[in-house]
Amino acid sequence: MLNFERKIVIDGDAKDYYSYLVSIFITHNFTHQIGNDWYLIQTPTGTINVHTIGVSILVAPFFFGAFLYSKFFNFPLDGFSSPFQISVYLAGIFYCVIGLIFLKKLLLQLNFKQHVVASLIVLTAFGTHLFSYTVNESGMPHVYAFALTSMFFYFILNLFQKRETKYFYLCALVLGLIILVRPVNIIILSFVPFFFQNKYDLISNLKEFVKSKHFYLSIIVLFLVCSIQSVAWYSQNGKLLQDSYVGNGFYFNNPQIFKMLFGFNNGLFIYVPLCFLMLFGLIPMFASNRYKGFVFILSIGFILYIFASYWAYNYFDGYGIRTLVDFLPIFVIAGAYLFQMVRSKLNYLFIALASLFLFINIFHIYQYKNGIIKANGMNFEKYAYIFLKSNKLYADSLGGANDLPLYSKEGGKLVFESRYLPCNQQSERDSVCNFKDLEYLLCFDYTIKKPVNNFFIVAEFERKEMKKNSSFNTQLTLGGNNSKNENKMYQAYKINEVPAINCCDWKKCTFSIAVTTKFDKDDKLNMFIWNADKTQFLIKNFKVKIFDYSYTI
């Protein structure tokens, strides 16, 4: 057997999507989910999982295979041993292939040439972040959502063109699974009018469909599929409907579209430039069919608006804007217009750019996998530092913390503010600490006054190195302990966002840190600077603010 012991794909969010299977077939306790504490909600009537059940349903056949394999060959039957990790990895590859097959069938049925379709399948597989979410993070929902989107588009197109009864039910089944995997993806329906030739074609077909009994029967099928989640919630806390994303929300009056697409903190077009190139297919699309062009713009605009309005528009740790993996078939359709309808020397230019962007994507994924690119908190300075760097010596060289403020319409409540870092060298106006031979220095020790489930911390200070990179390994650490001094959380960040290039000027450092751990009254939150190498550098004007972003069920 291949050694996959280090291939951990059931981790982070993936553990939560997968935990339904573990709780049913391993622990036999569906009301107790095995996941991350920050994605398990303790309601008055039971514990529920923030994430929905769809991924567990799709992974189930592979899980059962791993279960039988583990039983016969004496692997731990815990749901997380090597065979189970491999099963999720294989599931990701399987659904990626399924998605690509249906995408190919869709493009061919839309009358794009075979060589164009073949090229686009290769570009989609290796030139977009689909590749990363297949081989690196196959436990996340996005490769499954990509496959379901491709299937739904193919079935809906066949329903309109062939009018066969089976496509009513296939569309309903797949749409139900789309909702079970990621409920927000129901917005994919905004793209359905694209598959008609004009508005009259749309209206006349819809009139015919609503006259069919299969239309209404398929709605019942859709409802039954979606009700699986309600059954799960009812089993867990006695409620058929649950706001599992409590504490999260949208700022619809302040969408961050530019930052989501062009920002260095996971921006789609920065890390997956092929998606940007594909959108140039809108030009020939408009030239061939203005109706389709308008529908495309309205649909992609609506989808981008919804995702850019989410409070965490960078979607936390990940490569590129991961939620848009689910909608890659829309970008690929635009790309098909670009490569089929553009003539002359421009076509060679686009082919060259697509090849370059494929290489850039693979290179970025290599950097991401090896810790050269940070999964969250990138900015221009960090990106410029690791640009075209492939040496693993650059792994984990970036520091700082740049979390987004947590969700709240009213903002967080300031509960603690420290003006200056306590230090022997402190004066009334200026606090300067010399870290020569000093290993630890406490920044603050805050006793929590009431139960809290969300903190947002902003720390600012200035740093001056006495020798170039003398503070390279120094970390700003944040810890939380209960009243018995037992650890509840621990986070550590290099104090330098990038290794120093010059020496030895004062540099301002700002850290923004989101803390989603559940704290009780009299628990403590503390921050300190850890100078493991005991090297010499100076810190002054250390200030910190703590904001309470707690929410209630």
Side-chain angles (χ1 to χ4, degrees):
M1 178 179 170
L2 293 174
N3 183 9
F4 274 77
E5 292 298 330
R6 290 186 151 193
K7 188 68 185 178
I8 306 298
V9 296
I10 312 173
D11 197 14
D13 287 18
K15 186 185 293 185
D16 307 301
Y17 286 104
Y18 173 82
S19 67
Y20 291 93
L21 292 169
V22 178
S23 63
I24 296 173
F25 300 104
I26 302 293
T27 65
H28 308 294
N29 185 0
F30 194 54
T31 60
H32 176 68
Q33 298 286 294
I34 298 176
N36 300 294
D37 287 342
W38 55 90
Y39 285 125
L40 296 178
I41 299 179
Q42 306 296 332
T43 74
T45 54
T47 301
I48 66 166
N49 190 331
V50 166
H51 297 304
T52 46
I53 200 171
V55 172
S56 283
I57 292 173
L58 296 175
V59 171
F62 299 87
F63 173 88
F64 296 140
F67 188 93
L68 292 174
Y69 186 93
S70 298
K71 197 165 187 177
F72 284 124
F73 292 97
N74 297 318
F75 282 88
L77 286 169
D78 59 1
F80 297 97
S81 60
S82 182
F84 291 98
Q85 299 285 345
I86 296 171
S87 73
V88 175
Y89 182 67
L90 294 176
I93 295 174
F94 173 81
Y95 283 104
C96 176
V97 172
I98 291 296
L100 292 172
I101 288 172
F102 275 93
L103 183 59
K104 172 190 171 184
K105 292 162 70 74
L106 172 70
L107 294 174
L108 289 174
Q109 195 152 330
L110 288 171
N111 297 318
F112 293 108
K113 296 177 181 177
Q114 287 195 1
H115 71 277
V116 171
V117 173
S119 299
L120 283 167
I121 295 303
V122 172
L123 288 172
T124 305
F126 301 104
T128 71
H129 44 347
L130 174 65
F131 183 70
S132 182
Y133 285 94
T134 300
V135 301
N136 293 330
E137 299 177 75
S138 48
M140 295 293 283
H142 306 294
V143 64
Y144 308 95
F146 162 77
L148 292 171
T149 299
S150 298
M151 293 170 68
F152 179 71
F153 283 170
Y154 175 73
F155 291 145
I156 203 78
L157 179 63
N158 276 272
L159 175 62
F160 298 150
Q161 291 185 351
K162 298 180 180 179
R163 305 292 182 90
E164 294 181 15
T165 300
K166 65 178 180 180
Y167 289 113
F168 276 104
Y169 302 103
L170 287 171
C171 288
L173 174 63
V174 174
L175 182 60
L177 289 172
I178 286 173
I179 294 169
L180 287 180
V181 170
R182 296 193 75 242
V184 70
N185 284 6
I186 194 174
I187 62 177
I188 203 71
L189 291 174
S190 67
F191 194 73
V192 169
F194 177 86
F195 296 111
F196 297 94
Q197 292 303 310
N198 51 58
K199 65 179 181 180
Y200 304 107
D201 184 30
L202 169 65
I203 295 170
S204 62
N205 274 278
L206 290 180
K207 286 180 178 179
E208 289 297 319
F209 289 135
V210 297
K211 293 177 181 178
S212 170
K213 67 178 182 180
H214 298 291
F215 174 78
Y216 299 99
L217 290 174
S218 64
I219 290 177
I220 295 174
V221 171
L222 173 63
F223 174 79
L224 291 174
V225 174
C226 293
S227 68
I228 295 173
Q229 185 62 57
S230 290
V231 172
W233 281 330
Y234 187 81
S235 300
Q236 291 172 341
N237 76 340
K239 293 182 179 180
L240 288 173
L241 296 176
Q242 179 72 55
D243 179 11
S244 64
Y245 268 78
V246 63
N248 295 270
F250 294 81
Y251 298 118
F252 289 114
N253 62 343
N254 189 30
Q256 301 294 318
I257 294 178
F258 184 84
K259 288 182 180 179
M260 187 180 76
L261 297 179
F262 295 98
F264 287 91
N265 193 2
N266 286 343
L268 178 69
F269 295 154
I270 297 295
Y271 298 97
V272 193
L274 183 64
C275 286
F276 181 68
L277 177 65
M278 285 179 172
L279 288 183
F280 279 90
L282 272 168
I283 299 172
M285 187 188 299
F286 258 106
S288 63
N289 188 315
R290 289 172 62 86
Y291 164 81
K292 286 183 177 289
F294 278 118
V295 169
F296 189 99
I297 287 180
L298 290 174
S299 175
I300 195 70
F302 174 68
I303 290 167
L304 294 177
Y305 166 76
I306 293 295
F307 287 122
S309 297
Y310 187 59
W311 73 270
Y313 57 83
N314 67 328
Y315 291 87
F316 312 106
D317 292 354
Y319 172 70
I321 300 298
R322 53 190 174 89
T323 58
L324 293 178
V325 174
D326 312 11
F327 298 84
L328 279 176
I330 295 179
F331 289 89
V332 176
I333 288 172
Y337 277 89
L338 179 68
F339 291 113
Q340 177 154 307
M341 297 189 177
V342 171
R343 296 288 182 259
S344 74
K345 295 180 180 179
L346 271 180
N347 207 12
Y348 294 106
L349 172 63
F350 290 136
I351 291 171
L353 285 174
S355 301
L356 173 63
F357 292 160
L358 183 150
F359 167 78
I360 289 174
N361 181 69
I362 295 293
F363 189 78
H364 277 155
I365 291 173
Y366 170 85
Q367 290 181 307
Y368 173 73
K369 177 62 177 174
N370 288 283
I372 299 173
I373 287 178
K374 287 174 68 71
N376 189 15
M378 289 291 291
N379 56 29
F380 176 75
E381 183 183 17
K382 294 178 185 179
Y383 185 85
Y385 179 78
I386 55 87
F387 184 67
L388 296 181
K389 301 296 192 305
S390 59
N391 195 315
K392 291 184 180 180
L393 293 174
Y394 285 89
D396 300 319
S397 63
L398 302 177
N402 189 30
D403 292 342
L404 297 176
L406 294 161
Y407 176 74
S408 172
K409 288 290 187 180
E410 296 78 27
K413 178 183 178 182
L414 180 64
V415 295
F416 177 84
E417 182 173 9
S418 174
R419 186 181 179 112
Y420 290 127
L421 173 70
C423 192
N424 293 334
Q425 292 86 353
Q426 180 175 329
S427 66
E428 288 188 4
R429 293 190 175 182
D430 200 37
S431 172
V432 179
C433 296
N434 190 333
F435 274 78
K436 183 178 182 182
D437 299 325
L438 184 63
E439 184 175 1
Y440 295 98
L441 186 66
L442 182 68
C443 302
F444 72 82
D445 193 350
Y446 171 65
T447 300
I448 295 167
K449 306 296 190 300
K450 64 176 184 177
V452 175
N453 51 33
N454 270 346
F455 276 129
F456 186 69
I457 300 172
V458 178
E460 296 178 337
F461 58 90
E462 294 176 69
R463 183 270 298 154
K464 180 178 180 180
E465 295 184 320
M466 310 312 290
K467 293 182 180 179
K468 184 179 176 181
N469 281 323
S470 61
S471 61
F472 177 75
N473 287 321
T474 302
Q475 294 182 328
L476 183 72
T477 67
L478 179 67
N481 302 295
N482 62 20
S483 55
K484 297 178 181 180
N485 206 32
E486 297 170 332
N487 182 263
K488 300 192 76 167
M489 56 83 61
Y490 178 85
Q491 296 169 208
Y493 310 88
K494 289 178 179 288
I495 68 169
N496 297 326
E497 288 200 316
V498 299
I501 298 174
N502 301 309
C503 184
C504 297
D505 298 322
W506 283 103
K507 178 177 177 59
K508 185 173 182 179
C509 304
T510 301
F511 287 70
S512 56
I513 304 170
V515 180
T516 55
T517 304
K518 298 180 180 70
F519 290 100
D520 299 315
K521 185 177 182 295
D522 295 328
D523 287 351
K524 289 191 174 182
L525 198 64
N526 57 70
M527 180 179 284
F528 58 90
I529 294 176
W530 180 23
N531 180 19
D533 297 337
K534 295 185 178 180
T535 51
Q536 185 178 15
F537 57 91
L538 304 179
I539 294 285
K540 73 174 182 179
N541 295 341
F542 192 102
K543 305 174 186 177
V544 64
K545 293 182 179 180
I546 302 178
F547 299 89
D548 182 352
Y549 273 83
S550 293
Y551 59 86
T552 56
I553 300 296

